């Protein structure tokens, strides 16, 4: 005999399942190949990072919408090319969001840009941070966000920051909810927030990454609340 | 260029998680050209030529051959390794060296302009710290690392899941926990069931309190750290838990699996969807309780202070 109250469970759509399956498949390959690469390919990784070309580069103005490739001035930034979108200038620095390395958004705080270029397919708003201008102005400018792209990025960022529901028109470009404590995406979030931490620290906001990440992790609830009437 | 559609069938889910697999050095030796890097050595001048001339096709014949051979070796090696790790012996590279190189460039390029190919400058800046004699290793080694990501993209294009995705399919990378997509995306209680939702919350809270009170200290520290957004590898967390990272991680997994197993046993006659939700809601409540516990535990309170520090 059943003991729990009868309940109607609202399932996520097939697209969420498909999106999660695709992301997990990429994650699995990434994990497997990383172990191989760590073992066999050590070129570069064993050297102290010293980007002498940075000193010769003239600082350039940072403007909203720029897509920047960060110079490899730390071990984490030397691991792979790290692209950031400059979203908005703020008193403490630039609000930037990194691009992710997979083709599918992992969580609701990630936005599929619709671009074909692999480095720029996913914008990780949950991992946005304030970064001092001097760390950005010697980066390489590689492209620009369009106005609609910038607007979408900022609206999703604000919804995460303020704990509000994400904009409805972006729903099919965001990742599936994160509900399970042992979901592999939690490892991914921790890893990705790790490489941004030194940049945050440089802007004096060492603990600022956790609230946004936690917001990304806790986006899903197990109880769908009725929308508040305005 | 995309190679989508060339494969005959979608890949089946991997048999085991990469996390659970033996490290590569425990497995068969890599191909000879990898085990003996001296078999094919590129030259630093070739890499500079490629950077300066913008595309491989514009380089001299020997440089084209050398870099294409480099790409073929590493592309094939990563692909073979993945095939071995996931027990998919048929997975192999049919790509020529030029195609492998093309995959690398396509993967790295932001757009087809000099601005869109800044990754080349990044690659050479990346090697700046290397001693003069090791510059080649730094450039080539980094390019090989980037080829790994190009292989991941190639596998995605060739072997991505297609068609309907089964809810009961095992989740790649999480088989050790026996998870399925259904576990990861159980859904939520319908808004129409407000009364039932409140009752679920009440039941979950009661279970959470019992489970949390019975949990060992290590599990409590792990759940508190996760609740606070702290890494289980954080030295302060490990110090409070009094164990290594792997043990703390195990404690967290064990705690969840114990909660899950016991609730599934208790509600064995209930709807599976409802049981999944009560398990997750209970664990979420335990996470909330961990903060309450943390405030009353002198040692754990330091973690809260750390997490809340400006």
């Amino acid at each position: 005999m059943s003991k729990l109250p009868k309940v109607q469970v609202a399932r996520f759509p097939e697209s969420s399942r498909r999106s999660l399956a695709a992301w997990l498949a990429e994650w699995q390959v990434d994990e497997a190949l990383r172990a191989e690469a760590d073992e066999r390919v050590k070129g570069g990784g064993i050297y102290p990072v010293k980007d002498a070309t940075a000193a010769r580069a003239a600082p350039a103005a940072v403007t909203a919408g720029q897509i920047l490739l960060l110079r490899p001035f730390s071990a984490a930034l030397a691991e792979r090319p790290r692209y950031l979108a400059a979203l908005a200038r703020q008193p403490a620095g630039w609000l930037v969001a990194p691009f992710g390395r997979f083709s599918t958004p992992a969580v609701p705080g990630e936005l599929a840009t619709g671009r074909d270029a692999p480095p720029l397919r996913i914008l990780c708003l949950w991992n946005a941070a304030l970064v001092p201008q001097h760390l950005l102005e010697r980066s390489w400018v590689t492209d620009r966000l369009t106005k609609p792209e910038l607007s979408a990025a900022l609206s999703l960022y604000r919804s995460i920051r303020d704990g509000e529901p994400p904009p409805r028109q972006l729903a099919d470009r965001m990742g599936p909810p994160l509900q399970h404590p042992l979901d592999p995406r939690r490892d991914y979030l921790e890893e990705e927030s790790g490489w941004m931490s030194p940049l945050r620290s440089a802007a004096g906001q060492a603990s600022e990454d956790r609230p946004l990440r936690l917001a990304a992790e806790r986006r899903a609830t197990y109880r769908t609340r009725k929308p508040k009437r305005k | 260029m995309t190679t989508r559609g060339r494969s005959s069938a979608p890949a089946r889910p991997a048999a085991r998680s990469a996390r659970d697999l033996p490290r590569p050095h425990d497995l068969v030796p890599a191909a000879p050209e990898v085990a003996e890097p001296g078999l094919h050595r590129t030259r630093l001048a070739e890499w500079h030529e490629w950077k300066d001339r913008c595309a491989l096709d514009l380089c001299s014949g020997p440089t084209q051959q050398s870099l294409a051979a480099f790409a073929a070796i590493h592309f094939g090696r990563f692909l073979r390794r993945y095939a071995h790790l996931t027990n998919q012996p048929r997975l192999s590279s049919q790509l020529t060296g030029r195609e492998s190189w093309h995959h690398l460039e396509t993967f790295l390029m932001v757009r087809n302009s000099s601005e869109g190919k800044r990754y080349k400058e990044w690659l050479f800046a990346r090697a700046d710290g290397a001693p003069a004699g090791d510059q080649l290793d730094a450039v080539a080694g980094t390019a090989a690392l980037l080829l790994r990501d190009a292989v991941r993209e190639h596998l995605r294009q060739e072997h991505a899941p297609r068609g309907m995705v089964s809810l009961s399919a095992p989740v790649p990378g999480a088989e050790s926990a026996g998870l399925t997509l259904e576990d990861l995306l159980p859904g939520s209680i319908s808004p129409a069931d407000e009364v039932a939702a409140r009752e679920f919350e009440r039941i979950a809270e009661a279970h959470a309190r019992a489970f949390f009170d019975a949990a060992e200290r290590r599990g409590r520290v792990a759940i508190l750290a996760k609740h606070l957004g702290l890494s289980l590898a954080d030295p302060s967390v490990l110090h409070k838990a009094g164990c290594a990272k792997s043990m703390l991680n195990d404690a967290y997994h064990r705690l969840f699996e114990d909660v899950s197993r016991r609730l599934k046993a208790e509600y064995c006659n209930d709807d599976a969807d409802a049981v999944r939700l009560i398990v997750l809601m209970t664990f979420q409540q335990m996470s909330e309780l961990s903060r309450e516990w943390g405030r009353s535990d002198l040692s754990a309170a330091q973690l809260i202070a750390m997490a809340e520090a400006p």
Side-chain angles (χ1 to χ4, degrees):
Chain A
M1 196 180 116
S2 65
K3 297 180 184 173
L4 289 170
K6 292 284 174 217
V7 74
Q8 200 181 338
V9 175
R11 285 191 179 281
F12 296 111
E14 166 72 13
S15 57
S16 291
R17 235 179 288 159
R18 193 190 298 276
S19 173
L20 180 55
W23 188 90
L24 289 166
E26 279 192 82
W27 172 252
Q28 186 210 19
V29 175
D30 193 68
E31 289 265 277
L33 294 183
R34 194 168 359 177
E36 163 72 356
D38 288 349
E39 191 61 30
R40 292 280 175 192
V41 186
K42 294 192 170 137
I46 55 171
Y47 304 112
V49 179
K50 189 186 77 183
D51 177 10
T53 59
R56 295 195 294 272
V62 180
T63 58
Q66 278 181 342
I67 298 175
L68 305 166
L69 171 58
L70 287 175
R71 286 184 173 273
F73 55 76
S74 73
L77 300 181
E79 196 181 308
R80 61 184 157 94
R82 307 278 192 183
Y83 291 90
L84 299 177
L87 300 180
R89 190 190 176 96
Q90 298 193 353
W94 272 91
L95 177 68
V96 298
F99 286 88
R101 65 183 189 272
F102 297 120
S103 68
T104 313
V107 289
E110 294 194 356
L111 186 68
T113 61
R115 290 179 177 237
D116 291 331
L120 306 182
R121 289 180 294 205
I122 304 296
L123 194 54
C124 305
L125 280 318
W126 66 268
N127 206 7
L130 276 179
V131 173
Q133 169 146 335
H134 70 88
L135 289 183
L136 301 178
E137 60 192 8
R138 284 189 167 81
S139 305
W140 291 286
V141 180
T142 60
D143 205 346
R144 291 194 69 83
L145 293 179
T146 62
K147 275 187 181 171
E149 283 175 334
L150 182 57
S151 164
L154 282 170
S155 60
L156 181 54
Y157 167 74
R158 289 182 191 123
S159 81
I160 299 169
R161 183 197 60 192
D162 301 339
E164 297 291 330
R168 223 175 245 187
Q169 69 273 20
L170 301 180
D172 59 350
R173 293 166 55 192
M174 292 159 34
L178 181 53
Q179 293 185 291
H180 200 284
L182 304 185
D183 192 315
R185 289 176 291 166
R186 292 185 192 273
D187 293 337
Y188 159 80
L189 293 179
E190 187 174 323
E191 195 178 282
E192 289 297 302
S193 65
W195 78 262
M196 284 289 285
S197 288
L199 299 183
R200 287 190 179 90
S201 302
Q205 34 154 12
S207 63
E208 285 286 305
D209 56 333
R210 284 193 296 271
L212 267 185
R213 196 183 97 211
L214 287 171
E217 291 181 6
R218 291 176 189 159
R219 170 68 70 191
T221 57
Y222 310 113
R223 173 181 170 186
T224 311
R225 292 179 196 281
K226 285 179 181 168
K228 285 178 192 166
R229 282 190 190 164
K230 290 193 176 174
Chain B
M1 185 188 82
T2 176
T3 51
R4 187 183 285 280
R6 204 182 289 171
S7 70
S8 56
R12 62 181 172 75
R16 294 184 294 172
S17 160
R19 282 178 185 281
D20 302 325
L21 294 167
R23 298 282 296 172
H25 56 68
D26 295 327
L27 303 169
V28 295
E33 70 271 22
V34 179
E36 298 167 29
L39 205 65
H40 176 78
R41 292 281 290 175
T42 54
R43 294 187 298 121
L44 191 58
E46 293 164 352
W47 291 95
H48 277 293
E49 185 184 340
W50 163 70
K51 178 173 177 270
D52 294 342
R53 296 200 180 176
C54 206
L56 190 65
D57 285 345
L58 302 176
C59 294
S60 64
T63 295
Q64 287 188 29
Q65 284 176 11
S66 176
L67 296 185
F70 169 87
I73 288 169
H74 288 282
F75 203 95
R77 178 167 62 87
F78 281 121
L79 210 52
R80 279 195 301 278
R81 176 59 65 194
Y82 181 73
H84 180 78
L85 287 172
T86 56
N87 193 24
Q88 298 182 74
R90 289 184 185 177
L91 202 63
S92 63
S93 174
Q94 307 287 325
L95 302 178
T96 65
R98 278 175 174 279
E99 286 171 328
S100 302
W101 186 270
H102 179 77
H103 272 288
L104 174 67
E105 291 203 303
T106 308
F107 183 76
L108 293 170
M109 194 165 61
V110 167
R111 60 193 169 110
N112 198 7
S113 65
S114 56
E115 288 80 18
K117 295 178 182 174
R118 296 291 196 199
Y119 68 87
K120 292 183 183 180
E121 291 178 57
W122 177 90
L123 178 63
F124 281 83
R126 166 80 170 70
D128 244 16
D134 292 341
Q135 290 262 327
L136 171 62
D137 282 344
V139 172
T142 307
L145 281 173
L146 298 175
L147 265 161
R148 169 194 63 182
D149 293 335
V151 168
R152 187 187 72 231
E153 175 67 7
H154 170 74
L155 286 166
R156 183 189 73 81
Q157 290 179 340
E158 295 283 304
H159 302 279
R162 290 180 176 81
M164 294 287 283
V165 178
S166 166
L167 275 173
S168 57
V171 169
E175 289 91 342
S176 58
L179 297 176
T180 64
L181 278 177
E182 201 166 27
D183 293 324
L184 297 189
L185 285 180
S188 54
I189 298 176
S190 168
D193 274 354
E194 189 67 22
V195 176
R198 275 202 300 274
E199 182 61 9
F200 262 65
E201 280 173 0
R202 193 194 58 75
I203 295 170
E205 197 173 340
H207 283 308
R209 212 160 271 285
F211 283 123
F212 194 83
D213 287 347
E216 59 175 8
R217 180 180 171 78
R218 206 172 274 177
R220 291 182 184 196
V221 171
I223 201 168
L224 174 63
K226 290 271 189 183
H227 178 78
L228 296 170
L230 299 172
S231 167
L232 295 192
D234 189 304
S236 307
V237 174
L238 297 177
H239 179 69
K240 302 300 173 202
C243 66
K245 178 192 165 192
S246 59
M247 294 168 83
L248 191 57
N249 211 40
D250 283 349
Y252 184 74
H253 279 241
R254 265 203 323 275
L255 183 56
F256 177 79
E257 282 157 11
D258 186 45
V259 168
S260 176
R261 192 182 56 251
R262 290 167 66 178
L263 289 178
K264 280 176 182 169
E266 175 155 358
Y267 299 112
C268 59
N269 294 323
D270 282 272
D271 176 61
D273 284 343
V275 177
R276 269 187 212 97
L277 285 176
I278 202 73
V279 169
L280 293 184
M281 288 169 82
T282 299
F283 207 71
Q284 193 179 41
Q285 289 284 350
M286 289 173 72
S287 179
E288 301 291 337
L289 285 175
S290 72
R291 182 181 280 265
E292 196 179 289
W293 166 75
R295 292 205 186 281
S296 63
D297 182 283
L298 192 61
S299 177
Q302 290 169 5
L303 290 182
I304 297 177
M306 197 173 94
E308 290 176 350

